[in-house]
Amino acid sequence: MTTVDQFVQAVLASPSPYTGLDQIYVHNRILALVGDDNPVTAVDDQLTSLTDALVQTALTNGKIEDTPSDRDILADQLMDLVTPLPSALNQTFWNKYQTSPQAATDYFYHLSKANDYIKTRAIAKNVVFPATTDFGDLEITINLSKPEKDPKAIAAARNQPQDGYPLCQLCMENEGYLGRLGYPARSNHRIIRLTLGGETWGFQYSPYAYFNEHSIFLDQVHRPMVINRQTFSNLLEIVKQFPHYFVGSNADLPIVGGSMLSHEHYQGGRHVFPMMKAPIARQLDLGIAGVEAGIVKWPMSTIRLTSTDQVALLDAATKIHNVWMDYSDESVAVRAYTDNVRHHTTTPIARKVGDQYVLDLVLRDNQTSTQYPDGIFHPHQDVQHIKKENIGLIEVMGRAILPARLKTELQEVAKYLLGRHNQMVAMHQPWADAIKAKTNITADNVDAVIDREVGQVFARVLADAGVFKWDAAGEAAFNRFVAAVKAD
Ligand SMILES: [Zn+2]
């Protein structure tokens, strides 16, 4: 059987709209994409292997150029053939939901992996390890899954008009979009529709997942990120509909937010993050009946609210958020506004534990200063050799997403620590020397030592991002804020 025939069989066996009578038609659709000649044999009968071989055929036939963009666009067009139409997918999803929410997400997650929308092969390249710290076991990842952007694609993206189509990568209009140079291929992309607060939202998986079943919930309308009572309400509604998932929102301000502030969206999934395992350091009395509150033992300043009552929980969360929006404490450099520019917001994370709703509110402040031009509550200069990017939702919860450069850089640090010839980047030297001074490094322990020390740096990164520090002054300042909430 040729690779084309094998792929036709896979299409007919898939949940796509095509059935036996469509065999010749599907065969010809594939030839239209890859060309009639030069068949390439696949290394095995996996769908991704068949697609790889067909992309190779198309290259040989001159149907595409040898660029990552052209390869991805064609691969996703082929994968589109094994994927149900959005209408059919939504119907099956909500039918399965009647059995259980998990049956529905299992179906959608499996499908998104099977049609290579979730880039499982690329994600497998990531480096992941735990690191024990005073705040429990943090999760360290070095992100090697995102493909290097080629310069032509970067230039194409830069020259794109701001009112392009789709408006952004989180818009519904990406569903089935072919893609182009500088814009990702989305032929095999599907979105589940759901209702939140009377409005239509989309639910999809992240193609370059940072954790298990990494999901994105996106507003049907392209409008900026915002954190308010409606946000908290939407988050609780999502965990009510999908109790086996957590969901959180990035903050709605630069420096302390995510990389996409222009389109309202949340991230969720099926993973228990270190912050969720962190205990309550001290209980708080906010004076709201039916809501338990406490300060979480966590490097970032976090108030945990727990209740079975959605409305009472919303009241408490909104009150904390609103007081924080206007709250300043000069003694710890916390300022809600400078020159009429707002600096305060929260990073909220919701989940369900039994019949209880749990909402963690992380207080954020995005001021900069001459001493800390990148942010007062942002990783400071001396830890930026490991992490200088924004501390967004995922990292707030204790999972570091470190840049790809660190994989090779840390190997050079290891050589340096062992006294071998190395090409260690100069910015790592003070850190490496500090490690050397306190640890007896051997070839057997060097990797474990570096992993542990990266974990220590990440704990420091989170502490830098915390507005109230874990010292006497910070704890007193946190108590004053809580008193202000209670008095409100
Ligand atoms: Zn958008």
Side-chain angles (χ1 to χ4, degrees):
M1 214 187 322
T2 67
T3 305
V4 173
D5 289 330
Q6 281 179 289
F7 200 82
V8 171
Q9 291 311 312
V11 171
L12 298 182
S14 76
S16 75
Y18 305 109
T19 60
L21 190 145
D22 301 310
Q23 182 167 0
I24 296 167
Y25 172 83
V26 171
H27 189 103
N28 285 327
R29 300 291 15 105
I30 297 167
L31 291 183
L33 291 170
V34 306
D36 297 357
D37 308 319
N38 300 306
V40 174
T41 306
V43 292
D44 57 45
D45 60 358
Q46 295 283 308
L47 212 45
T48 46
S49 308
L50 297 175
T51 310
D52 286 348
L54 291 173
V55 168
Q56 205 54 45
T57 296
L59 266 172
T60 314
N61 287 330
K63 299 290 279 187
I64 60 168
E65 278 187 54
D66 192 5
T67 64
S69 179
D70 269 18
R71 285 169 173 269
D72 286 351
I73 286 171
L74 176 59
D76 287 0
Q77 278 180 288
L78 291 164
M79 286 299 188
D80 179 45
L81 296 171
V82 301
T83 311
L85 293 175
S87 52
L89 177 90
N90 270 267
Q91 192 168 26
T92 307
F93 181 91
W94 290 112
N95 283 344
K96 288 185 183 288
Y97 187 88
Q98 298 306 314
T99 308
S100 76
Q102 195 188 316
T105 56
D106 282 354
Y107 159 73
F108 186 35
Y109 184 61
H110 174 78
L111 187 136
S112 300
K113 280 196 295 187
N115 79 352
D116 205 39
Y117 178 72
I118 299 174
K119 303 295 179 198
T120 311
R121 289 183 293 179
I123 294 165
K125 293 180 196 157
N126 290 341
V127 175
V128 182
F129 58 90
T132 303
T133 73
D134 291 347
F135 292 98
D137 281 356
L138 303 182
E139 298 168 356
I140 311 296
T141 73
I142 299 177
N143 182 19
L144 301 163
S145 65
K146 285 206 177 169
E148 299 282 330
K149 279 200 177 155
D150 72 278
K152 267 198 286 181
I154 293 172
R158 193 169 37 231
N159 296 333
Q160 241 144 60
Q162 283 305 299
D163 58 351
Y165 179 90
L167 271 179
C168 82
Q169 291 185 26
L170 292 172
C171 280
M172 291 270 192
E173 286 75 12
N174 288 282
E175 190 174 49
Y177 184 65
L178 182 67
R180 58 178 190 262
L181 192 60
Y183 198 97
R186 291 287 182 256
S187 289
N188 58 345
H189 178 34
R190 300 292 184 270
I191 302 173
I192 298 297
R193 270 63 166 185
L194 51 104
T195 305
L196 295 178
E199 298 190 337
T200 301
W201 281 64
F203 159 43
Q204 64 174 73
Y205 288 103
S206 172
Y208 294 99
Y210 290 145
F211 52 86
N212 186 42
E213 298 183 37
H214 185 170
S215 318
I216 302 171
F217 296 87
L218 44 93
D219 194 330
Q220 185 179 35
V221 182
H222 176 89
R223 58 183 157 197
M225 295 285 288
V226 61
I227 303 289
N228 56 26
R229 186 184 177 99
Q230 188 60 50
T231 314
F232 305 139
S233 172
N234 288 347
L235 297 179
L236 295 186
E237 190 55 39
I238 288 170
V239 295
K240 187 180 183 181
Q241 291 187 34
F242 303 101
H244 55 304
Y245 278 9
F246 82 92
V247 66
S249 176
N250 255 313
D252 55 354
L253 287 176
I255 298 177
V256 296
S259 53
M260 288 287 252
L261 289 171
S262 60
H263 192 127
E264 194 179 21
H265 68 286
Y266 315 131
Q267 296 180 72
R270 201 162 170 200
H271 184 68
V272 180
F273 285 85
M275 188 179 83
M276 297 172 183
K277 298 175 201 160
I280 297 293
R282 53 183 192 275
Q283 298 283 340
L284 302 175
D285 175 14
L286 294 178
I288 295 178
V291 180
E292 273 181 54
I295 292 174
V296 181
K297 187 171 187 297
W298 190 245
M300 295 188 67
S301 310
T302 308
I303 296 177
R304 177 166 296 159
L305 302 170
T306 306
S307 182
T308 53
D309 181 345
Q310 261 180 286
V311 174
L313 198 59
L314 284 178
D315 288 344
T318 307
K319 188 170 172 172
I320 292 167
H321 178 79
N322 288 348
V323 171
W324 176 246
M325 292 282 271
D326 280 322
Y327 187 82
S328 296
D329 186 339
E330 203 59 46
S331 72
V332 285
V334 161
R335 296 172 196 96
Y337 290 87
T338 56
D339 299 328
N340 291 318
V341 176
R342 173 168 74 96
H343 296 300
H344 281 188
T345 187
T346 53
T347 302
I349 300 120
R351 64 199 150 102
K352 273 203 98 176
V353 178
D355 59 353
Q356 303 257 35
Y357 291 93
V358 181
L359 188 62
D360 287 340
L361 282 185
V362 187
L363 307 176
R364 310 300 300 269
D365 178 320
N366 81 342
Q367 288 177 86
T368 57
S369 66
T370 33
Q371 190 185 358
Y372 300 115
D374 302 315
I376 299 175
F377 304 102
H378 179 84
H380 291 168
Q381 219 91 50
D382 62 320
V383 287
Q384 289 188 2
H385 64 107
I386 298 290
K387 177 77 185 178
K388 61 170 186 275
E389 296 80 9
N390 289 355
I391 301 308
L393 174 68
I394 312 302
E395 306 193 285
V396 164
M397 296 186 288
R399 190 170 176 91
I401 302 159
L402 301 180
R405 63 174 170 85
L406 280 176
K407 191 183 178 189
T408 46
E409 286 180 18
L410 294 177
Q411 286 163 357
E412 296 303 315
V413 172
K415 290 182 200 165
Y416 174 79
L417 291 175
L418 292 169
R420 294 181 186 161
H421 175 72
N422 66 83
Q423 292 178 303
M424 186 174 72
V425 186
M427 66 176 171
H428 292 305
Q429 180 137 12
W431 177 61
D433 286 339
I435 296 171
K436 219 173 185 175
K438 67 175 181 184
T439 322
N440 182 27
I441 311 275
T442 66
D444 287 335
N445 73 5
V446 67
D447 291 331
V449 167
I450 289 177
D451 286 0
R452 184 191 72 204
E453 293 298 325
V454 168
Q456 295 300 321
V457 172
F458 183 53
R460 239 299 303 283
V461 160
L462 294 182
D464 284 353
V467 292
F468 299 124
K469 309 302 183 193
W470 285 96
D471 56 20
E475 288 184 41
F478 209 154
N479 288 340
R480 285 194 294 277
F481 170 67
V482 169
V485 173
K486 204 178 168 187
D488 182 63

